């Protein structure tokens, strides 16, 4: 959920989907690999991906706004479970897709540090200080090894990107990633450091994204896919409505092993595979409904990382300060109002003015921290081309 997915510069790394570093970072355009020498210098952003990122981040904000309502509304719980099945997998799959050309070159590592690692450190500290103040918990520790709340995605993306070259050379990468996720879901001893449970259990979506090609996104953009997506989503909502009082929603967070969710170890493997399948299907349905043309919100897709991180202060603050203690919020009109407020807030936080103000924290250049790049020898470049 970061975005520089479509910058005029053809860089070779990719921050989270939604940061200003996304597609330029990987040397790709929205529709495929970087063009050859005869192509235009400026890559054209595909509005489809910006639209997808914006709509997905709106669903993230809505999901967080529904969380305190689930106990009083089965409908809210069903919507929550349905959205949580695919909203983060969608972001992670897109991140993987735009990480296909990541080869851990110095320039790529530099942008990975400045576009992912530095924002992680800044917001991990900021969220901790906010919790100390807003939750009246002055002793809450600052720990870069234990991501708090939303920052898990940044550290996970940092790790996933570093592993991208590995998945490019192994056989059956998706099967291997699913095997790792299954084993993680059955291993409570992994602990909380770097949120490794989430890193490993969400890993298959990143690897799946790495394996995608432009033609796969063309498939879900066909009219037949849009028609088929409607009954699939209706069925998913029906299943979620049935499962809401019966299923622990913590399965969707992928931050715990099966044993930590009071289930037998083998259940972790079954749930990992079943949820992966359900998530991929719903991601495909979601993408089928994403508009392909430029919309009023298309430009906001470049600021989804900003919205993702910043709305966390409001989402957590609403719990710390008891905003949901008002009874009217738990009525149908109140639930609709909360949903609209969440969508409006995340929209504002993705706008260009917010990006300009906070770019120094989200996308710092930090030239002072790195050695000057040494041009690659001509012989070496020719060897690579051959």
């Amino acid at each position: 959920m970061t975005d520089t997915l479509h910058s005029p510069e053809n860089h070779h790394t990719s921050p989270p989907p939604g940061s200003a570093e996304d597609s330029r970072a990987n040397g790709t355009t929205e529709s495929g690999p970087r063009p050859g020498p005869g192509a235009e210098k400026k890559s054209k952003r595909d509005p489809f991906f910006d639209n997808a990122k914006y709509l997905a981040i709106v669903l993230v904000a809505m999901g967080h706004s529904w969380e305190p309502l689930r106990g009083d509304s089965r409908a809210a719980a069903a919507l929550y479970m349905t959205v949580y099945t695919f909203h983060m997998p969608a972001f992670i799959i897109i991140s993987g897709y735009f990480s296909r050309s990541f080869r851990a070159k110095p320039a790529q590592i530099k942008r990975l540090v400045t576009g992912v690692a530095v924002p992680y450190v800044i917001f991990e500290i900021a969220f901790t200080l906010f919790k100390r103040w807003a939750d009246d918990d002055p002793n809450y520790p600052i720990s870069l090894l234990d991501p708090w709340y939303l920052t898990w995605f940044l550290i996970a993306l940092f790790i996933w990107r570093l592993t991208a070259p590995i998945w490019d050379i192994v056989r059956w990468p998706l099967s291997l990633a699913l095997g790792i996720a299954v084993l993680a879901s059955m291993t409570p001893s992994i602990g909380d450091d770097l949120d490794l449970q989430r890193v490993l259990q969400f890993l298959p979506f990143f690897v799946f994204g790495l394996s995608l090609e432009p033609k796969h996104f063309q498939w879900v953009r066909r009219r037949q896919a849009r028609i088929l997506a409607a009954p699939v989503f209706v069925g998913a909502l029906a299943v979620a409505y049935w499962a809401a009082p019966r299923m622990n929603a913590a399965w969707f967070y992928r931050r715990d092993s099966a044993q930590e969710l009071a289930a037998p170890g083998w259940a972790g493997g079954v749930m990992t595979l079943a949820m992966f399948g359900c998530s991929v299907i719903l991601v495909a349905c979601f993408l089928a409904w994403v508009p392909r043309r430029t919309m009023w919100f298309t430009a906001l897709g470049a600021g989804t990382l900003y919205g993702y991180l910043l709305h966390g202060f409001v989402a957590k603050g609403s719990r710390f300060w008891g905003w949901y203690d008002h009874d009217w919020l738990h009525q149908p009109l109140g639930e609709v109002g909360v949903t609209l407020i969440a969508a409006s807030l995340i929209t504002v936080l993705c706008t260009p003015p917010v990006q300009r103000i906070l770019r120094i924290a989200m996308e710092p250049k930090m030239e002072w921290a790195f050695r000057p790049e040494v041009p690659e020898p001509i012989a070496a470049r020719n060897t690579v081309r051959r």
Side-chain angles (χ1 to χ4, degrees):
M1 72 202 44
T2 67
D3 190 275
T4 332
L5 275 176
H6 333 283
S7 141
E9 303 174 38
N10 285 319
H11 291 177
H12 296 278
T13 183
S14 38
S19 100
E21 296 259 344
D22 208 352
S23 33
R24 76 176 174 209
N26 287 291
T28 61
T29 62
E30 290 303 326
S31 58
R34 184 176 53 157
E40 294 181 2
K41 288 185 177 180
K42 289 189 176 182
S43 59
K44 184 179 180 182
R45 294 180 73 105
D46 185 343
F48 171 78
F49 288 98
D50 275 335
N51 293 339
K53 290 182 295 176
Y54 167 75
L55 294 174
I57 201 63
V58 168
L59 290 174
V60 169
M62 287 180 173
H64 288 155
S65 73
W66 294 333
E67 188 170 354
L69 305 174
R70 292 179 297 150
D72 301 314
S73 171
R74 189 170 178 178
L79 286 170
Y80 180 87
M81 293 176 66
T82 303
V83 166
Y84 265 72
T85 302
F86 73 90
H87 68 354
M88 287 311 298
F91 271 122
I92 297 168
I93 288 171
I94 293 174
S95 293
Y97 178 68
F98 285 103
S99 296
R100 292 172 301 158
S101 33
F102 185 86
R103 294 295 179 270
K105 296 179 181 178
Q108 293 178 318
I109 295 295
K110 174 183 174 181
R111 280 182 287 277
L112 185 60
V113 170
T114 57
V116 180
V118 171
Y120 168 73
V121 173
I122 291 173
F123 276 86
E124 180 63 27
I125 295 172
F127 276 129
T128 301
L129 295 178
F130 177 74
K131 176 174 171 58
R132 287 182 177 183
W133 168 68
D135 198 26
D136 194 21
D137 186 5
N139 296 318
Y140 191 82
I142 294 177
S143 173
L144 298 182
L145 292 179
D146 188 8
W148 190 70
Y149 198 35
L150 302 178
T151 55
W152 73 267
F153 179 76
L154 292 177
I155 197 63
L157 185 60
F158 186 84
I159 296 172
W160 293 331
R161 281 232 172 92
L162 289 178
T163 68
I166 297 176
W167 305 109
D168 194 42
I169 62 174
V170 300
R171 292 184 177 180
W172 313 296
L174 183 57
S175 297
L176 178 58
L178 281 169
I180 292 173
V182 166
L183 291 176
S185 71
M186 302 167 62
T187 311
S189 60
I190 287 179
D192 297 327
D193 287 352
L194 299 181
D195 256 13
L196 280 179
Q197 278 288 0
R198 273 176 162 162
V199 171
L200 298 178
Q201 290 192 42
F202 274 117
L203 174 64
F205 297 105
F206 183 79
V207 176
F208 181 67
L210 285 172
S211 67
L212 294 179
E213 299 176 7
K215 65 180 181 182
H216 298 125
F217 289 94
Q218 293 298 329
W219 292 346
V220 300
R221 295 160 81 164
R222 294 181 300 177
R223 183 171 180 271
Q224 300 93 316
R226 293 197 299 275
I227 294 174
L228 183 61
V232 172
F233 258 119
V234 171
L237 283 169
V239 172
Y241 190 84
W242 172 85
R246 299 174 172 85
M247 180 179 175
N248 186 349
W251 283 105
F252 295 99
Y253 308 150
R254 294 173 172 86
R255 67 186 178 199
D256 302 299
S257 65
Q259 294 90 328
E260 291 171 304
L261 296 177
W266 59 265
V270 173
M271 289 296 290
T272 296
L273 296 175
M275 291 176 64
F276 177 80
C278 293
S279 296
V280 168
I281 291 172
L282 289 186
V283 168
C285 292
F286 166 71
L287 293 176
W289 284 353
V290 170
R292 291 170 288 178
R293 65 185 185 278
T294 299
M295 308 290 289
W296 65 266
F297 53 79
T298 300
L300 302 180
T304 51
L305 182 63
Y306 292 78
Y308 172 75
L309 292 172
L310 294 174
H311 95 281
F313 293 103
V314 179
K316 277 299 182 183
S318 68
R319 276 62 151 190
F320 295 154
W321 298 321
W323 292 355
Y324 283 88
D325 294 343
H326 302 286
D327 292 337
W328 66 272
L329 287 176
H330 299 266
Q331 303 300 320
L333 285 179
E335 293 168 354
V336 172
V338 166
T339 302
L340 294 177
I341 291 172
S344 301
L345 173 66
I346 202 75
T347 297
V348 171
L349 295 177
C350 292
T351 56
V354 174
Q355 296 179 48
R356 286 194 293 269
I357 293 171
L358 293 177
R359 184 160 287 132
I360 190 173
M362 307 286 272
E363 303 169 60
K365 295 187 180 297
M366 295 181 60
E367 298 295 341
W368 55 268
F370 301 95
R371 297 176 180 175
E373 294 184 24
V374 178
E376 188 178 3
I378 294 177
R381 291 201 300 268
N382 292 337
T383 301
V384 172
R385 290 193 186 100
R386 288 198 296 271

